[in-house]
Amino acid sequence: MTADLEAIVTDVAAMMRGAQERGSVASYIPELAKVDASQFGLAVATADGRVVTGGDADTGFSIQSISKVFALTLALGKVGDQLWDRVGREPSGTAFNSIVQLEHEHGIPRNPFINAGAIVVTDINLGGHQPRVAIGEILRFLHYLAGDDDIAINEAVAASETASGFRNMALANYMRAFDNVRHDVDLVLGAYFHQCAIEMSCRQLALAGRYLMLDGRHPGGGRVVSPRRARRINALMLTCGHYDASGDFAFRVGIPGKSGVGGGIMAVVPGRASIAVWSPGLNASGNSHLGTLALEELARRTGWAGFSPP
Ligand code: DON
């Protein structure tokens, strides 16, 4: 499979490089609108310890909502299943930044991957500290997971979202009214915007996702989370990782995945591979257009799609 995997990754990267339709870069965060849409990267970290890459796999990009997976892992480590008193576990069927459900559902967001849910998760991670403490913690967590201390925040992206994140401000204030955001809204959003502005390459992201491929184990030894927690995070990525397009992603790609508006997607094939793909152009649901196509092709050609037996 490994020799084949190299050929498949090279082929998929070549296909995506030549694609005509590339989607549109996110424009609601002005700094992301400047990114060159012609880029494409792919990295696959395998359970047997290899990393196979194609295209711009070492170029850094804004991980945005993919950070929500790592933030959720940290928050579950702090408060355990009590987290689910404040955040649901159902697909939302609405856009990532939607506010409509919050009123009907009394300020409890549908899941931890829509913006409202991720803001509550950040509120938990703040734990009475200043944003820089929570931000330092998530960065150190990523350094440990990826084995790479160069992962850092793009301050221009964080500043750009801080200046333009009016919907997130509305969501956070709304949930504060229900006491589901408990810190000062500016502190929570400061931590949230910086977490989203973390920059990683596909290689770094595929390496960071390995604990979800390995049933919660760190590939260097030791445990990041229990097997049950790793499996549940994967379940949430499958059902909620692509917002109102999660059903379509599960149907087409058939593996758990989490997207970000920077154009990245992290995907996990339990026991086999941790995958990161990046192409900045998005589809109408705010998920990478070519990233989704590339994962569909990769999963089909490797046989990893849709709960295939080993
Ligand atoms: O809060 C936001 O709107 C962005 N920082 C993250 C949104 C995002 O990545 C949605 N994913 N596709």
Side-chain angles (χ1 to χ4, degrees), residues 149-215:
D149 289 351
D150 287 341
I151 296 164
I153 289 167
N154 182 324
E155 289 293 345
V157 173
S160 182
E161 194 171 7
T162 305
S164 61
F166 303 113
R167 289 188 77 103
N168 285 324
M169 290 169 207
L171 290 169
N173 277 295
Y174 199 65
M175 292 187 292
R176 184 93 165 99
F178 285 98
D179 197 34
N180 202 17
V181 164
R182 297 180 182 165
H183 296 82
D184 191 68
V185 162
D186 289 340
L187 299 182
V188 179
L189 289 176
Y192 172 76
F193 291 146
H194 280 79
Q195 160 198 317
C196 290
I198 292 171
E199 203 158 270
M200 291 170 80
S201 65
C202 288
R203 183 190 301 274
Q204 290 168 327
L205 192 56
L207 290 172
R210 289 172 298 177
Y211 72 107
L212 295 172
M213 144 178 86
L214 297 174
D215 231 12

Side-chain angles (χ1 to χ4, degrees), residues 28-29 63-66 68 96-97 115 161 168 192-193 196 243 258-262 285-287:
Y28 78 101
I29 302 175
I63 66 167
Q64 291 296 323
S65 286
I66 304 169
K68 296 170 180 173
F96 62 87
N97 55 6
N115 287 5
E161 194 171 7
N168 285 324
Y192 172 76
F193 291 146
C196 290
Y243 314 107
K258 181 73 208 83
S259 67
V261 285
S285 309
N287 304 311

Side-chain angles (χ1 to χ4, degrees), residues 111-296:
N111 67 64
F113 294 151
I114 52 173
N115 287 5
I119 289 168
V120 174
V121 168
T122 301
D123 189 59
I124 292 168
N125 281 335
L126 262 184
H129 298 292
Q130 287 299 307
R132 70 183 146 72
V133 177
I135 295 161
E137 187 180 27
I138 194 165
L139 274 177
R140 277 194 303 282
F141 186 47
L142 288 170
H143 295 168
Y144 157 69
L145 292 176
D148 188 335
D149 289 351
D150 287 341
I151 296 164
I153 289 167
N154 182 324
E155 289 293 345
V157 173
S160 182
E161 194 171 7
T162 305
S164 61
F166 303 113
R167 289 188 77 103
N168 285 324
M169 290 169 207
L171 290 169
N173 277 295
Y174 199 65
M175 292 187 292
R176 184 93 165 99
F178 285 98
D179 197 34
N180 202 17
V181 164
R182 297 180 182 165
H183 296 82
D184 191 68
V185 162
D186 289 340
L187 299 182
V188 179
L189 289 176
Y192 172 76
F193 291 146
H194 280 79
Q195 160 198 317
C196 290
I198 292 171
E199 203 158 270
M200 291 170 80
S201 65
C202 288
R203 183 190 301 274
Q204 290 168 327
L205 192 56
L207 290 172
R210 289 172 298 177
Y211 72 107
L212 295 172
M213 144 178 86
L214 297 174
D215 231 12
R217 281 184 292 109
H218 190 289
R223 187 158 276 295
V224 182
V225 292
S226 66
R228 185 165 85 149
R229 188 158 289 165
R231 292 175 198 187
R232 287 182 158 179
I233 294 171
N234 285 337
L236 286 166
M237 289 207 293
L238 186 71
T239 52
C240 311
H242 283 72
Y243 314 107
D244 43 342
S246 296
D248 191 55
F249 185 86
F251 180 81
R252 284 168 57 191
V253 182
I255 57 179
K258 181 73 208 83
S259 67
V261 285
I265 304 175
M266 178 172 80
V268 176
V269 190
R272 294 177 180 176
S274 167
I275 307 165
V277 64
W278 168 58
S279 177
L282 308 179
N283 59 26
S285 309
N287 304 311
S288 175
H289 173 69
L290 288 186
T292 307
L293 277 181
L295 284 172
E296 189 175 359

